[in-house]
Amino acid sequence: MLPYTSIQEAESALGRSLTTVETFWFDYSVNKSDYFLFCHNILFLFLIFSIVPLYYLFLEFFFKNSIWPYKIQPKVNLSLSDCFSCYKSVMRMFILVVGPLQLVSYPSVKMIGIRTSLPLPSIWEIVAQLTVYFMVEDYGNYWIHRFLHCKWGYEKIHKVHHEYTAPIGFAAPYAHWAEILILGIPSFVGPAIVPGHMITFWLWIALRQIEAIETHSGYDLPWSPTKYIPFYGGSDYHDYHHYVGGLSQSNFASVFTYCDYIYGTDKGYRYQKKVLQQLREGLKSDGDQNGVPLNISSENLKVD
């Protein structure tokens, strides 16, 4: 809850006029507790899990012919019923695990110094903090993910997530309850190291989940803005991990690819890409000579 009772009092404390966004924040949060504001995460996660995957379903069912070239595993097609069955499973886990976890984790958020007060952070401050959050979470997630692919971790926990060998957007948070709890740890480390404003924390939770949904969408869409992010893995990169599956030691990265490159866990993926490119060039050369159109899929060329 803000320590001011009026905009004039807030402006006097800051020594300047409030910006338009700060005025909106004041009007919205002045009489709301910090705990109530933190619990907005539950609503945001519910909306993200429910709405964002619909974008890919919409493209698949209404523009199937147009986006078919961008489908990573074109031989696998789940029905609408299958997709919503996955959604129901995710929502069950949301109600039983994710929601309660958010409700009880507030004391730790308060302890590390996530604030709701004025002034609001600048755009550059938000971008810098989000960059740290993504980098820290990505590194921690990499090693936890590798652990979950050892024999015990996979058989006891992680195999639930790999039930979808051709992932879909709704399957991004589809996992064993223990995996949800474990992977929540690196998501919290970044904000603990560089605590920021509650708005930044909301954005972090929202963007990380949207990224996970895109990564599991099953489509490598060329117009995605994430194509311009350096070292970003994306859907094609993570889809390879699901396709190989099992006790695979390939492509553990959740967001970026630098850990896989440094520790050599992307060799199978890079080899597959190299072979695929050679096949395309060879077929293109034959097609130019014989007048045969080039049409090749990478689905059967993936190796561990």
Side-chain angles (χ1 to χ4, degrees), residues 130-280:
L130 288 176
T131 300
V132 172
Y133 297 172
F134 270 106
M135 295 295 291
V136 170
E137 192 270 349
D138 189 69
Y139 189 79
N141 185 288
Y142 173 85
W143 288 107
I144 292 175
H145 197 177
R146 284 192 68 167
F147 163 75
L148 290 174
H149 270 271
C150 71
K151 184 176 177 60
W152 183 91
Y154 186 83
E155 292 182 352
K156 300 296 183 182
I157 300 175
H158 195 50
K159 69 178 181 180
V160 175
H161 184 64
H162 274 270
E163 289 176 12
Y164 287 87
T165 55
I168 58 175
F170 282 124
Y174 181 85
H176 191 282
W177 64 266
E179 180 170 346
I180 294 174
L181 294 178
I182 295 170
L183 291 180
I185 297 173
S187 297
F188 184 75
V189 173
I193 295 174
V194 187
H197 198 274
M198 185 65 74
I199 291 177
T200 307
F201 191 76
W202 288 349
L203 283 171
W204 160 234
I205 298 298
L207 290 175
R208 181 62 182 89
Q209 299 311 314
I210 292 172
E211 181 277 327
I213 292 170
E214 180 197 23
T215 299
H216 289 82
S217 67
Y219 286 94
D220 188 22
L221 302 177
W223 56 81
S224 173
T226 54
K227 293 285 187 182
Y228 300 97
I229 300 177
F231 306 108
Y232 183 80
S235 53
D236 181 66
Y237 191 86
H238 191 68
D239 191 280
Y240 178 86
H241 174 80
H242 274 264
Y243 183 81
V244 176
L247 299 180
S248 165
Q249 297 299 306
S250 300
N251 292 23
F252 294 113
S254 60
V255 181
F256 303 108
T257 61
Y258 68 94
C259 280
D260 279 314
Y261 182 80
I262 292 172
Y263 300 112
T265 47
D266 65 345
K267 292 181 179 178
Y269 175 76
R270 287 190 283 124
Y271 177 77
Q272 178 262 336
K273 285 296 181 184
K274 180 180 178 180
V275 171
L276 179 60
Q277 183 62 31
Q278 291 173 344
L279 286 173
R280 282 175 171 164

Side-chain angles (χ1 to χ4, degrees), residues 74-94:
K75 293 182 180 180
V76 180
N77 290 286
L78 298 181
S79 67
L80 195 61
S81 175
D82 292 330
C83 292
F84 280 99
S85 176
C86 177
Y87 172 74
K88 287 190 292 184
S89 296
V90 168
M91 283 298 106
R92 187 183 306 115
M93 196 62 65
F94 180 86

Side-chain angles (χ1 to χ4, degrees), residues 116-127:
T116 62
S117 60
L118 294 172
L120 296 183
S122 67
I123 295 296
W124 292 114
E125 181 181 347
I126 291 174
V127 170

Side-chain angles (χ1 to χ4, degrees), residues 24-25 27-48 94 98-99 102-103 105-106 109 116 198-199 201-203 205-206 209:
F24 177 81
W25 177 253
D27 291 337
Y28 181 75
S29 65
V30 63
N31 294 317
K32 295 179 176 64
S33 68
D34 288 353
Y35 180 69
F36 179 82
L37 293 172
F38 169 73
C39 287
H40 282 49
N41 277 322
I42 300 174
L43 175 62
F44 296 152
L45 287 172
F46 172 77
L47 292 175
I48 289 169
F94 180 86
V98 178
Q102 291 289 317
L103 291 173
S105 61
Y106 173 73
V109 169
T116 62
M198 185 65 74
I199 291 177
F201 191 76
W202 288 349
L203 283 171
I205 298 298
Q209 299 311 314

Side-chain angles (χ1 to χ4, degrees), residues 13-70:
L14 295 178
R16 60 171 175 80
S17 298
L18 299 185
T19 65
T20 301
V21 177
E22 287 174 333
T23 300
F24 177 81
W25 177 253
F26 178 91
D27 291 337
Y28 181 75
S29 65
V30 63
N31 294 317
K32 295 179 176 64
S33 68
D34 288 353
Y35 180 69
F36 179 82
L37 293 172
F38 169 73
C39 287
H40 282 49
N41 277 322
I42 300 174
L43 175 62
F44 296 152
L45 287 172
F46 172 77
L47 292 175
I48 289 169
F49 291 157
S50 300
I51 296 175
V52 175
L54 294 178
Y55 167 68
Y56 298 99
L57 282 184
F58 177 80
L59 292 177
E60 181 164 341
F61 284 95
F62 292 97
F63 298 94
K64 187 172 184 177
N65 293 333
S66 299
I67 69 165
W68 184 87
Y70 309 122

